[in-house]
């Protein structure tokens, strides 16, 4: 049986802080990352806390975060089976 893709538990406050430090508005960052503005808002406020690998990687690149930098994460990637 194939394992579901990992999800990333993200730190919304850190996303917001990093976005603001990069001088990006919500609309600009969301568009550059290929996600919706409401989704980015939900992440930053903590309403949504998980991201799939693709959107997470695009957001990380938009914010200028290297692949091995985990500051946007609450913890290491998890599989769906670990999500409660």
């Amino acid at each position: 049986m194939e394992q579901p893709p990992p999800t990333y538990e993200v730190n919304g406050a850190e996303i917001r802080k990093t976005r603001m430090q990069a001088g990006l508005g919500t609309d600009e960052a969301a568009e550059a990352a290929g996600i919706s503005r409401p989704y980015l808002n939900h992440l930053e406020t903590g309403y949504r806390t998980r991201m799939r690998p693709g959107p997470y990687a695009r957001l990380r690149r938009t914010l200028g975060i290297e692949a091995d930098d985990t500051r946007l994460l609450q913890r290491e990637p998890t599989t769906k089976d670990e999500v409660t």
Side-chain angles (χ1 to χ4, degrees):
M1 179 184 274
E2 186 176 317
Q3 288 290 327
T7 59
Y8 294 90
E9 189 171 347
V10 296
N11 179 334
E14 189 63 36
I15 292 172
R16 178 178 166 79
K17 178 179 129 186
T18 304
R19 175 184 58 76
M20 293 177 76
Q21 287 174 342
L24 297 172
T26 308
D27 291 333
E28 185 180 11
E31 184 176 335
I35 60 177
S36 70
R37 184 190 51 77
Y39 181 53
L40 180 55
N41 282 336
H42 287 171
L43 292 168
E44 289 186 354
T45 62
Y47 182 74
R48 301 276 307 260
T49 60
R50 297 189 183 278
M51 296 185 78
R52 292 206 180 272
Y56 172 74
R58 291 191 307 268
L59 179 61
R60 183 181 40 73
R61 282 191 299 269
T62 296
L63 299 177
I65 305 295
E66 296 293 326
D68 61 348
D69 188 333
T70 61
R71 78 178 101 163
L72 300 182
L73 299 177
Q74 289 287 3
R75 61 187 190 137
E76 292 302 310
T78 61
T79 64
K80 269 190 159 178
D81 294 336
E82 296 172 334
V83 177
T84 57

